[in-house]
Amino acid sequence: MEKILLRILFASSLAAAPFILKRKNLLMYLTVFFSKCVLSSSIDSFFIKKGKISYPVRPFAKVFDTNILYDLLFYPLLSVIWVRSTYQSKPVELLTRSLYFSGPMTLLQWFLERKTDLFRWKSWSVVHTFASINFTLFTIRGFVGLLKRITPEVRGGNFVEERSHSKMPSPEFIASTANHRLPNENYAQIQ
């Protein structure tokens, strides 16, 4: 059953990736994606080495101690969604929206830990999961805020929202305006 759940998660994450990582603002989304990969893998590896959590059923179990599906695909995609939904949020709204992400994820992990072998919590609890999910969400959001301040092209515009690009004038418009003469200062004197 666990392998079926992992396959479903893998397939749904791959299917959602093109819609989450849109072509516009792809650089920003990829920055968020890969920074979350590094952060999740680092934190997960640390707690696995400490013996607080383990993943009995995971892809490439002989090579990786962590579940690379969570750390390198699922959580980074959720972080991109998180950044897109909170990019313009004020602090109170940011805290509220963090509950929309961390609450269901914590409950889902708690349920899966009880009913499957996807997670094994040794000296770990629901509170630890909730705190670690919020820590990574706010760390990534803070990183994006820092990028917004120090990167010139991000500072002026909204990097996450869709931007409308100005269109080039058509050749017909250029030809029609070339034949028109603008009135000059002597126009009144000529009449």
Side-chain angles (χ1 to χ4, degrees):
M1 177 172 145
E2 288 84 4
K3 293 194 180 221
I4 293 171
L5 288 172
L6 289 175
R7 286 182 184 135
I8 290 170
L9 181 65
F10 179 69
S12 60
S13 295
L14 280 183
F19 301 104
I20 295 170
L21 300 171
K22 291 184 180 178
R23 186 170 172 216
K24 290 185 180 183
N25 307 318
L26 183 62
L27 180 62
M28 183 63 159
Y29 298 152
L30 289 177
T31 303
V32 169
F33 184 88
F34 289 119
S35 59
K36 177 64 174 192
C37 288
V38 170
L39 183 64
S40 293
S41 299
S42 303
I43 291 173
D44 221 5
S45 294
F46 176 76
F47 287 116
I48 288 171
K49 298 279 189 246
K50 290 283 187 182
K52 294 186 179 284
I53 191 170
S54 67
Y55 299 99
V57 178
R58 62 186 182 273
F60 304 108
K62 293 179 181 177
V63 180
F64 299 103
D65 290 337
T66 65
N67 190 327
I68 59 169
L69 180 58
Y70 302 144
D71 292 340
L72 302 181
L73 186 62
F74 180 68
Y75 290 149
L77 286 174
L78 282 179
S79 291
V80 172
I81 295 170
W82 159 256
V83 167
R84 287 173 59 186
S85 69
T86 62
Y87 192 77
Q88 299 293 337
S89 297
K90 305 229 183 294
V92 174
E93 185 182 2
L94 190 66
L95 288 171
T96 306
R97 287 189 183 199
S98 73
L99 293 175
Y100 294 143
F101 281 80
S102 60
M105 286 176 59
T106 302
L107 291 175
L108 182 63
Q109 280 190 14
W110 174 77
F111 176 77
L112 289 174
E113 195 274 333
R114 296 238 183 249
K115 302 292 183 187
T116 67
D117 282 335
L118 292 175
F119 305 97
R120 278 290 160 244
W121 294 348
K122 296 173 183 170
S123 56
W124 195 262
S125 69
V126 175
V127 175
H128 291 100
T129 299
F130 182 77
S132 67
I133 289 171
N134 276 309
F135 173 75
T136 58
L137 287 177
F138 285 115
T139 302
I140 293 300
R141 183 60 182 81
F143 178 65
V144 169
L146 179 67
L147 284 177
K148 184 179 173 183
R149 290 187 185 269
I150 63 173
T151 309
E153 62 267 8
V154 177
R155 194 179 306 144
N158 185 353
F159 212 142
V160 176
E161 298 283 325
E162 303 289 328
R163 289 189 226 162
S164 63
H165 296 286
S166 61
K167 294 182 179 179
M168 294 293 295
S170 67
E172 294 82 22
F173 177 76
I174 293 172
S176 67
T177 57
N179 294 333
H180 291 282
R181 291 188 179 174
L182 295 175
N184 57 21
E185 300 95 32
N186 297 332
Y187 183 72
Q189 293 175 355
I190 295 174
Q191 289 183 352

